[in-house]
Amino acid sequence: MATVLEEVSGRPGGSNPSTEIETVRYDDAIVRLFVMATLIWGLVGMLVGLVLAVQLAWWPANGLGEYFTYGRLRPLHTNAVVFAFAGNAVFAAVYYSSQRLLKARMFSDVMSKFHFWGWQGIIVAAAITLPMGYTQTKEYAELEWPIDIVTTLVWVVFAVNFFLTLRNRREKHLYVALWFYIASIITVAVLHIVNNLVIPTGLFTSFSMYAGVHDAMIQWWYGHNAVAFLLTTPFLGLMYYFLPKAADRPVFSYRLSILHFWSIVFIYIWAGPHHLHYTSLPEWASTVGMVFSIMLWMPSWGGMINGLFTLRGAWHKLRDEPVLKFFVVGITFYGMATFEGPMMSIKTVNALSHYTDWTVAHVHAGALGWNGFMTFGMIYWLIPRLWKTKLWSTRLANTHFWLGTIGILLYIIAMYSAGITQGLMWRAFDETGRLMYPDFMETVVAIMPMYWVRVLGGSLYFFSATLCGVNLFMTARSAPKDLSDPVVQVARPAWRDRQVMASTVNYDEALFGLQDKLKHGWHRLLEGWPAVFSVLVLVAISVGSIVEIVPMLLVRNNVPTIATVMPYSPLELEGRDIYIKEGCVSCHTQMIRPLRSEIERYGEYSKAGEGIYDRPHLWGSKRTGPDLARLGGKYPHLWHVRHMEDPRSTSPSSIMPSYPWLLTKSLDLGSTQKKLEVMMMLGVPYTIDQADQAIDLAQAQALEIAREIAEQGGPEGLEDKEIVALIAYMQRLGIDIKREQPRGARR
Amino acid sequence: MNAPNKSASLPEPSEQDDVLITGHDYDGIMEYDNPMPGWWLAILYLTIVWSIFYVAGMGLGFINSYEDDLKHSMIEINEMRRGAVAAAPNVDQSYLAGLVGNAEVIDTGRQAYAFSCAVCHAAEGQGQIGPNLTDDHWLHGGELVDIYKAIYDGVPAKGMPAWGSVLSSAENVALAVFIDSLRGTEPANPKAAQGKPMGGD
């Protein structure tokens, strides 16, 4: 093996190396907290996921009451695994590795603690508000505005703590792991703030600042890059620290690190629109999203290559080292998912995969394989170091690895098969030019066995993760009483005193000094300037964001207006909020694509101008049930009453949850007027009169719908129940463009 | 993959090639000065070149837009349909009348009815959300061909879906014949008569 001269921490070439020795105590207590939180929330998040899997395979599992139906729980699952499981894992990695890479304790223990407890508080708030139906509905940005504000605050404290630690560093140059942390911290802040701009209508309710196409565009710029900068870049940082540590091998290629870092940071931000192929997003934006996704393939693989090639000469260690096993499989899934992602962003592939379980498979290859296994690898490496004793059972860790791997494979194979099967069935035509499977439920029944295989795979993964919890618990129990902070002695680096010297050098000396610095390349120089480095990262992510979003918002012909499209009536607006509260969007899309099979099945494809009053948009991303964009007028009111009360009464094999409470819960019109006023503020053309009479207008429309239901032979007296508002909304969906003449605001 | 020191795809470390970079030592982690793999760089450049061509092709109209693709595929499907329509029998009053009493046809109709119609018109045609199909009153005409038309085109304004494109043409025909056969069966709990009596207009 190649050798290198051992160097003192600090920096080479200082003509008068400092002799001063400083003592650094790393804060490992905070890392222990984050590790424990990772495991606890991870198990909670996975358990909720398992419940959802069962609910889809066996609808009676929705029967736990209104707070626990599929639509309400799904955002809880995604938020728990993304922000609570992966989030806490990232923080554990950042706090452990940054201190050591910088040879400095975290800037402020108080800030670290505030960050930890603040973050856990946010998670608890999410776990309470989401089942209650308080949601912005935008995926991974569901939490309502008060929680968003707290999140911003906690993130800023984290960032300040991190950047001030950078300033206090005793290692001149930043290692690649830190580059990725910097990019993550900056970008997540930008994404979070821009996508969550809303106007509150109540303590936990709000309307998005953006409507329709704009809202969708910004949401998926956010959604895609939340995946990038919360689930990819910080995990690459994690990999760059913990993998070479665990393998005890140098990193394969520094030059590769540089190029793949900057290309990832620059390119990723452009790729969001590939979530909106064939929607009413203008095709130019969709095309930009596609080509940047293709260009993202190799930058992503740069990380995989640097990871796997670093293991050259260390493969034998895999046999008895569970940590490396987890890392190798994690990185392999990363490589798989980052090949598949660009592939799915190709429009024609996307036409098949979108809205199906193929996307679900893709996501879980990344989440369970890459994020999950990198996290578990890190945790197994950290446990003995943080608790200063041997891991309780290596065998149990190996069992975890194998069960987890089988679980992932079962899960994704089932979902690939379900997704492709259903996608093909949706588009199949028979020889007479008729849809082969016109009944949507046929395409659901066909994949039911796969939903059960997913339950099995998910259970295995969940069970295997509990083994990690047991291992941690047992190790911690036998830990020594004294878990005081580790202490290292570091020479005070000479470069810290440079400023003092600098004032005494003349111009020639300064120039010579710069030449000397540049002999290791410009990037090396940059690595010593965290502030400049961070600004450059901000520039890199801003380019794509601005080029895509600004023209979308400013250029009017991106959203051609349609004269007959009118604002929702007050009752319809309330119905829409019930639709949002119940999470119908997690099973139903409202976006018919310009594909013949969709036009055949659902009607004329959706136009950008139809969504201008949709705050937020409700396009959805998954069709567990049929698209509802043109539902208006398809069924009589009474059909909806029966269907919502018990979907099996109208669609015998339906897997949709029953919503009987909609027929008994009173409709709350308390904030209807306020809602209209906020909409007016956002530019929706209601009149002041309409806002003032909002309640009367709503009640009049409700009375009429209730009367029709009774006439059709349905139950009497529904006029003050939630169901009439929901029906008013559903009967409005997609009918405006069929109207000949524009008319005044409805009813 | 995890056999010791044996890996087909990954090169063994070679002491000559791998050069550690002096001065890169972060908490014990060092870095090699290896070049980026050639194939990696090559594919990276290739995707960039391809992207430029794709965007240019899109801009210049060499690549189909969504609307182009949709138009082509609709032409294709419409041709198939024209062929199917030409091959199908012309469904008129006399064609339908010829099938009345045909047990096989009625059976096909019964199955389609149970699957698609019973949720609204009730299991025995006595009516529920939709009107009673067993009495002598009809909202849209009670001749065989009227019934067929109501099934095939639906009455969207009243919530009756169009089944023409959902069910096969044989099923549409069979449904009309089956429903005609329900007349006067007098099931329990009938919905009150709606529309005009037969021959009343």
Side-chain angles (χ1 to χ4, degrees):
Chain A
M1 196 194 282
T3 52
V4 73
L5 276 175
E6 272 301 323
E7 276 184 280
V8 198
S9 307
R11 215 31 19 214
S15 51
N16 63 347
S18 171
T19 48
E20 204 183 324
I21 299 291
E22 294 180 325
T23 304
V24 184
R25 286 171 193 279
Y26 297 138
D27 182 3
D28 276 359
I30 196 75
V31 185
R32 278 190 293 271
L33 286 178
F34 275 119
V35 165
M36 290 188 285
T38 303
L39 262 179
I40 293 168
W41 292 125
L43 289 174
V44 172
M46 290 173 208
L47 187 63
V48 177
L50 200 52
V51 170
L52 295 172
V54 174
Q55 287 179 333
L56 287 185
W58 185 61
W59 65 265
N62 283 289
L64 298 168
E66 70 179 290
Y67 300 120
F68 305 103
T69 58
Y70 180 85
R72 303 242 189 152
L73 288 184
R74 184 185 182 269
L76 186 60
H77 165 62
T78 51
N79 278 275
V81 292
V82 174
F83 298 109
F85 175 58
N88 276 309
V90 165
F91 300 141
V94 169
Y95 278 79
Y96 186 86
S97 62
S98 301
Q99 298 187 73
R100 285 158 173 85
L101 291 168
L102 298 166
K103 297 263 179 310
R105 188 182 177 90
M106 289 310 294
F107 171 75
S108 156
D109 286 5
V110 176
M111 284 190 181
S112 303
K113 287 213 178 69
F114 179 83
H115 175 200
F116 177 80
W117 289 109
W119 196 258
Q120 313 316 316
I122 293 166
I123 297 167
V124 172
I128 294 170
T129 57
L130 289 173
M132 289 175 74
Y134 296 122
T135 171
Q136 297 179 174
T137 77
K138 300 205 268 187
E139 280 184 63
Y140 327 125
E142 286 92 349
L143 298 180
E144 272 290 359
W145 64 271
I147 308 178
D148 286 338
I149 292 175
V150 176
T151 309
T152 311
L153 181 71
V154 171
W155 197 266
V156 167
V157 168
F158 167 45
V160 169
N161 199 12
F162 177 82
F163 282 107
L164 290 178
T165 311
L166 285 186
R167 201 195 56 185
N168 282 352
R169 73 197 188 281
R170 293 181 181 77
E171 183 80 64
K172 169 88 181 141
H173 295 101
L174 304 185
Y175 174 59
V176 48
L178 294 163
W179 313 346
F180 279 108
Y181 297 159
I182 291 174
S184 311
I185 293 172
I186 293 178
T187 315
V188 168
V190 173
L191 294 168
H192 174 73
I193 291 171
V194 174
N195 192 45
N196 282 305
L197 293 178
V198 297
I199 308 274
T201 57
L203 183 54
F204 278 104
T205 51
S206 59
F207 287 134
S208 173
M209 292 269 275
Y210 321 101
V213 176
H214 295 157
D215 194 52
M217 165 90 188
I218 288 169
Q219 155 57 22
W220 287 110
W221 163 80
Y222 164 90
H224 179 71
N225 289 300
V227 173
F229 290 90
L230 210 74
L231 301 180
T232 305
T233 52
F235 278 86
L236 284 168
L238 182 161
M239 176 193 85
Y240 273 112
Y241 181 81
F242 291 96
L243 178 77
K245 276 277 180 196
D248 197 18
R249 298 275 306 151
V251 172
F252 167 70
S253 168
Y254 165 63
R255 283 185 256 170
L256 183 59
S257 299
I258 296 176
L259 186 58
H260 104 91
F261 170 77
W262 286 104
S263 52
I264 278 197
V265 169
F266 177 75
I267 295 178
Y268 233 121
I269 207 89
W270 293 78
H274 68 206
H275 290 258
L276 298 172
H277 283 334
Y278 295 97
T279 64
S280 46
L281 183 78
E283 202 177 351
W284 68 262
S286 180
T287 301
V288 171
M290 169 173 126
V291 297
F292 274 89
S293 309
I294 302 282
M295 288 189 275
L296 191 55
W297 175 22
M298 280 303 121
S300 304
W301 271 23
M304 173 184 71
I305 293 169
N306 239 353
L308 291 182
F309 280 22
T310 294
L311 290 173
R312 296 169 315 154
W315 289 95
H316 60 278
K317 292 186 184 163
L318 253 66
R319 209 174 7 182
D320 33 41
E321 183 48 81
V323 172
L324 286 181
K325 280 198 211 123
F326 276 107
F327 282 163
V328 166
V329 172
I331 295 169
T332 307
F333 273 111
Y334 175 63
M336 215 181 90
T338 54
F339 167 72
E340 190 189 20
M343 184 174 80
M344 291 168 77
S345 76
I346 296 173
K347 291 177 196 165
T348 40
V349 178
N350 194 270
L352 175 67
S353 73
H354 201 40
Y355 299 141
T356 73
D357 285 308
W358 186 345
T359 310
V360 180
H362 172 63
V363 170
H364 284 83
L368 303 176
W370 163 243
N371 299 115
F373 270 26
M374 293 308 284
T375 298
F376 291 129
M378 172 186 80
I379 289 180
Y380 282 119
W381 190 83
L382 281 175
I383 288 176
R385 286 163 180 85
L386 291 174
W387 276 272
K388 300 184 177 175
T389 181
K390 266 184 59 206
L391 183 66
W392 182 60
S393 165
T394 307
R395 255 187 67 186
L396 201 63
N398 277 318
T399 314
H400 173 187
F401 169 78
W402 286 112
L403 288 181
T405 306
I406 297 169
I408 301 175
L409 289 176
L410 282 176
Y411 189 111
I412 63 173
I413 290 170
M415 287 300 100
Y416 282 125
S417 144
I420 294 173
T421 305
Q422 201 178 24
L424 291 174
M425 288 176 85
W426 285 346
R427 59 158 63 169
F429 278 88
D430 69 10
E431 67 285 357
T432 64
R434 232 169 34 93
L435 283 174
M436 191 100 90
Y437 308 99
D439 177 14
F440 189 89
M441 275 317 294
E442 267 185 282
T443 73
V444 177
V445 170
I447 59 175
M448 242 348 107
M450 289 300 128
Y451 278 10
W452 283 111
V453 176
R454 160 166 66 184
V455 171
L456 180 66
S459 307
L460 273 180
Y461 194 90
F462 173 74
F463 173 70
S464 74
T466 61
L467 300 181
C468 184
V470 170
N471 227 338
L472 172 69
F473 182 75
M474 297 308 287
T475 311
R477 256 179 41 154
S478 59
K481 279 274 149 342
D482 170 35
L483 286 176
S484 57
D485 291 338
V487 182
V488 290
Q489 308 288 334
V490 187
R492 181 177 170 78
W495 58 268
R496 286 202 142 206
D497 305 322
R498 196 192 42 205
Q499 277 97 337
V500 190
M501 288 154 49
S503 57
T504 65
V505 297
N506 64 29
Y507 179 75
D508 282 351
E509 282 171 17
L511 197 67
F512 183 75
L514 190 66
Q515 254 176 8
D516 187 51
K517 282 181 192 151
L518 271 171
K519 76 172 186 274
H520 298 294
W522 59 270
H523 199 269
R524 191 68 183 155
L525 209 56
L526 210 54
E527 288 161 25
W529 294 339
V532 181
F533 193 98
S534 306
V535 171
L536 283 181
V537 167
L538 185 61
V539 171
I541 60 143
S542 300
V543 175
S545 310
I546 291 170
V547 172
E548 284 184 350
I549 293 176
V550 172
M552 256 325 278
L553 295 183
L554 296 185
V555 181
R556 289 196 135 213
N557 63 6
N558 276 321
V559 185
T561 46
I562 300 170
T564 51
V565 173
M566 292 290 150
Y568 294 105
S569 75
L571 187 67
E572 290 157 5
L573 208 56
E574 289 295 348
R576 192 170 198 269
D577 281 351
I578 293 170
Y579 185 94
I580 288 172
K581 180 171 78 179
E582 295 294 352
C584 313
V585 71
S586 50
C587 283
H588 290 290
T589 58
Q590 286 186 23
M591 177 46 61
I592 304 168
R593 299 177 291 177
L595 302 170
R596 70 179 180 203
S597 55
E598 306 237 324
I599 294 172
E600 229 16 68
R601 189 181 294 277
Y602 303 118
E604 182 57 17
Y605 67 89
S606 302
K607 308 291 190 298
E610 291 183 84
I612 54 173
Y613 302 121
D614 288 347
R615 295 171 186 271
H617 74 290
L618 291 173
W619 296 4
S621 61
K622 171 75 180 69
R623 277 186 191 146
T624 301
D627 188 279
L628 301 181
R630 301 247 175 267
L631 180 67
K634 182 174 175 187
Y635 300 109
H637 297 334
L638 181 55
W639 188 92
H640 287 299
V641 176
R642 296 241 152 85
H643 183 248
M644 294 311 299
E645 188 179 22
D646 175 16
R648 264 63 53 191
S649 69
T650 54
S651 320
S653 48
S654 181
I655 60 169
M656 179 165 141
S658 304
Y659 295 92
W661 52 87
L662 292 176
L663 278 68
T664 53
K665 272 175 70 176
S666 306
L667 177 61
D668 177 9
L669 296 174
S671 53
T672 313
Q673 182 175 348
K674 170 100 190 177
K675 286 180 185 176
L676 260 76
E677 284 163 0
V678 170
M679 282 293 191
M680 284 171 73
M681 207 167 108
L682 289 163
V684 178
Y686 292 116
T687 61
I688 306 220
D689 278 356
Q690 282 172 327
D692 287 347
Q693 299 164 17
I695 296 180
D696 295 340
L697 289 170
Q699 283 172 341
Q701 192 183 357
L703 213 59
E704 188 174 335
I705 292 175
R707 190 180 49 78
E708 285 181 45
I709 292 171
E711 260 172 27
Q712 286 161 1
E716 308 257 347
L718 291 179
E719 60 276 358
D720 60 347
K721 301 293 182 275
E722 288 194 340
I723 185 83
V724 287
L726 185 61
I727 290 178
Y729 171 64
M730 291 196 289
Q731 297 291 24
R732 180 70 193 279
L733 286 174
I735 61 173
D736 281 18
I737 62 164
K738 299 177 194 163
R739 266 210 283 279
E740 309 262 304
Q741 298 284 322
R743 41 162 155 150
R746 291 165 42 84
R747 281 184 248 229
Chain B
M1 151 166 76
N2 45 8
N5 285 325
K6 230 170 57 194
S7 160
S9 56
L10 297 172
E12 290 303 310
S14 64
E15 269 115 67
Q16 299 97 312
D17 295 352
D18 290 351
V19 180
L20 283 169
I21 307 175
T22 3
H24 288 215
D25 176 349
Y26 307 92
D27 193 29
I29 302 173
M30 287 177 278
E31 293 179 301
Y32 283 129
D33 192 25
N34 284 325
M36 293 172 259
W39 62 268
W40 181 83
L41 266 181
I43 300 180
L44 176 62
Y45 293 143
L46 212 69
T47 56
I48 295 172
V49 171
W50 177 86
S51 297
I52 294 169
F53 272 97
Y54 188 90
V55 171
M58 210 65 218
L60 296 173
F62 292 127
I63 299 172
N64 281 348
S65 68
Y66 294 154
E67 277 80 15
D68 296 336
D69 278 341
L70 179 62
K71 223 182 293 162
H72 291 153
S73 67
M74 285 316 283
I75 290 173
E76 198 181 270
I77 209 83
N78 286 336
E79 252 156 38
M80 281 163 80
R81 281 191 190 144
R82 264 197 294 280
V85 169
N90 178 25
V91 181
D92 55 15
Q93 178 72 23
S94 62
Y95 173 78
L96 290 166
L99 296 174
V100 170
N102 181 325
E104 205 177 318
V105 172
I106 289 178
D107 210 47
T108 308
R110 182 175 290 116
Q111 281 168 22
Y113 180 89
F115 192 75
S116 302
C117 319
V119 288
C120 281
H121 294 280
E124 290 159 67
Q126 66 270 42
Q128 190 189 25
I129 295 173
N132 186 337
L133 301 173
T134 60
D135 60 17
D136 213 31
H137 284 62
W138 298 89
L139 285 160
H140 307 287
E143 297 296 340
L144 273 165
V145 72
D146 297 330
I147 299 173
Y148 175 75
K149 227 175 99 46
I151 297 166
Y152 195 92
D153 297 330
V155 190
K158 297 250 185 103
M160 164 76 180
W163 298 97
S165 61
V166 176
L167 301 172
S168 73
S169 48
E171 280 168 327
N172 274 282
V173 166
L175 272 173
V177 177
F178 170 70
I179 287 167
D180 180 64
S181 77
L182 293 178
R183 209 180 299 235
T185 47
E186 296 186 4
N189 305 320
K191 195 173 175 186
Q194 290 164 282
K196 297 173 183 150
M198 265 294 260
D201 58 347

